[in-house]
Amino acid sequence: MSLSVYNRVMFTDPISVLNQLHITPGMKVAECGAGSGFYTIPLARFVGEKGRVAVIDIQQPLLDRIKTHAQREGLTNLDYIHGDLEVKEGTHLREGWAQAVIISNVLFQIDNKSGFLSEIWRIGTPGCAVAVIDWTDSFSGMGPLEQHIVTEDAARRLFESKGFVYDKKVTVGDHHWGALFTKPKPAQRS
């Protein structure tokens, strides 16, 4: 799909977004709430054959669709996980597995935000980069319901309350906001 189609249909380009993150070949990345797999294929290419992408969603039919697409593309570095992001161990990943986490268009859907953030913290390595992308507005029903919108400021307060450190703003397009957080490394003793 061309950049112009991404911009017209999806409002943003996943390659442009991934270029702003700390994703490198060989990394282990969790895509939490993969949905349609908008980031999955580009992400699998970013981490390469030596990397892994855990594609997590609560809807098995979406995972099946992503798997079919990835197989057509010849990608074998993906693990498809039917999981619940809001509960402890709901991602089915071991503690400290992910070097990076991508959460796109998910936060507004999460009821148990505390449980969700605890699970993201659990699966992240020290220094794990956590990219959060979500809607800025309902846009007359094109996006989520107005009462479900999570603003960038509200998300920042949520993540910082769980110990994540705000790193930077991520440019993602006119209809979304993006932010990069980090799970801090433990302080070294002298």
Side-chain angles (χ1 to χ4, degrees), residues 56 81-95 115-116 118-120 122-123:
I56 307 160
I81 301 170
H82 182 239
D84 184 345
L85 301 169
E86 298 182 48
V87 298
K88 185 176 182 179
E89 299 183 9
T91 62
H92 305 289
L93 294 173
R94 68 174 166 72
E95 187 171 328
F116 170 68
S118 293
E119 181 63 1
I120 299 304
R122 187 189 72 76
I123 67 172

Side-chain angles (χ1 to χ4, degrees), residues 20-58:
Q20 297 174 67
L21 309 180
H22 305 295
I23 309 292
T24 57
M27 286 183 80
K28 293 178 183 174
V29 181
E31 183 182 10
C32 294
S36 66
F38 185 64
Y39 285 95
T40 306
I41 302 303
L43 188 54
R45 290 189 176 120
F46 262 66
V47 301
E49 291 179 11
K50 294 185 180 180
R52 298 296 305 168
V53 177
V55 185
I56 307 160
D57 205 281
I58 199 162

